[in-house]
């Protein structure tokens, strides 16, 4: 947990989130349930990765069933981030927020950057990634490290590569 977005999350939701980032792969289904959000793997048009909307009085995340599981996990993280950070935007439209494959929604770009940063923290908690990098790979980033960490955290290699490059720059 490292991004400045974490600090913007209200209690008690921040505490719920913090309970889930101590072991990998992060249990996204249970996390969503504890936050009161339903997840539905759904048929969605090509080019759409996910959506979060208030349906009745239930927040529902839909993820595109045709995308890879690792991709679906990042999308769930991204939609959960919208839920935690941008609820008023979700509430202001019956369709909530719908994200393309580039995680663009027609909403301000700033909110998509925020959601992507928090999503990366949710699915690849920094302290866990650092620990695993050190203990299993001697702190050295190679192609094998990226692949090994991506498979442990059930994320795409591309996502883990970005995470590791941010970590090294930090
Ligand atoms: Zn988004």
């Amino acid at each position: 947990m490292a991004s400045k977005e974490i600090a913007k999350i209200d209690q008690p939701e921040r505490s719920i989130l913090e309970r889930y980032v101590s072991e990998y792969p992060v249990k996204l289904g249970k996390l969503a349930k504890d936050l009161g959000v339903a997840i539905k793997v759904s048929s969605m048009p090509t080019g759409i990765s996910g959506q979060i909307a208030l349906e009745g009085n239930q927040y529902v995340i839909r993820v595109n069933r045709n995308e890879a599981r690792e991709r679906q996990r990042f999308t769930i993280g991204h939609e959960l981030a919208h839920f935690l950070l941008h609820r008023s935007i979700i509430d202001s439209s019956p369709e909530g927020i719908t994200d393309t494959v580039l995680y663009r929604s027609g909403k301000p770009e700033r909110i998509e950057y925020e959601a992507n940063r928090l999503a990366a923290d949710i699915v690849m908690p920094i302290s866990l990634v650092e620990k695993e990098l050190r203990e299993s790979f001697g702190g050295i980033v190679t192609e094998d490290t990226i692949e090994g960490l991506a498979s442990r955290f059930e994320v795409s290699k591309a996502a883990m590569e970005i995470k590791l490059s941010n970590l090294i720059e930090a």
Side-chain angles (χ1 to χ4, degrees), residues 41-136:
V41 179
S42 305
S43 296
M44 302 181 93
T46 303
I48 298 297
S49 284
Q51 181 190 44
I52 181 160
L54 187 57
E55 300 183 7
N57 52 11
Q58 171 74 62
Y59 286 96
V60 178
I61 289 173
R62 293 178 188 277
V63 288
N64 192 330
R65 71 164 74 249
N66 296 317
E67 294 189 342
R69 181 177 147 74
E70 292 76 12
R71 169 78 189 179
Q72 290 175 354
R73 282 178 58 80
F74 194 89
T75 299
I76 290 168
H78 181 98
E79 303 306 338
L80 282 175
H82 280 319
F83 173 76
L84 291 167
L85 299 171
H86 310 128
R87 206 157 317 159
S88 61
I89 299 176
I90 299 170
D91 293 349
S92 69
S93 152
E95 297 86 42
I97 298 175
T98 303
D99 283 291
T100 67
V101 291
L102 297 173
Y103 297 115
R104 299 222 173 102
S105 61
K107 310 289 185 213
E109 279 201 0
R110 173 186 59 83
I111 79 155
E112 299 307 333
Y113 290 134
E114 288 175 355
N116 280 335
R117 279 196 296 264
L118 184 54
D121 277 345
I122 292 173
V123 298
M124 299 171 283
I126 190 89
S127 55
L128 273 185
V129 172
E130 279 176 339
K131 183 168 183 280
E132 200 55 30
L133 172 63
R134 200 171 55 239
E135 292 177 0
S136 298

Side-chain angles (χ1 to χ4, degrees), residues 5-24:
E5 277 67 36
I6 302 278
K8 296 182 189 165
I9 301 171
D10 294 333
Q11 297 291 3
E13 289 166 342
R14 202 197 309 178
S15 302
I16 294 172
L17 178 57
E18 282 167 351
R19 281 211 304 274
Y20 280 90
V21 294
S22 56
E23 66 179 28
Y24 65 81

Side-chain angles (χ1 to χ4, degrees), residues 115-169:
N116 280 335
R117 279 196 296 264
L118 184 54
D121 277 345
I122 292 173
V123 298
M124 299 171 283
I126 190 89
S127 55
L128 273 185
V129 172
E130 279 176 339
K131 183 168 183 280
E132 200 55 30
L133 172 63
R134 200 171 55 239
E135 292 177 0
S136 298
F137 300 96
I140 297 162
V141 177
T142 64
E143 201 59 29
D144 284 348
T145 310
I146 296 166
E147 208 168 314
L149 288 173
S151 112
R152 281 167 168 79
F153 286 82
E154 297 182 2
V155 298
S156 70
K157 279 171 64 181
M160 184 55 76
E161 192 165 10
I162 292 168
K163 185 77 179 183
L164 290 172
S165 67
N166 291 340
L167 195 150
I168 288 160
E169 282 164 18

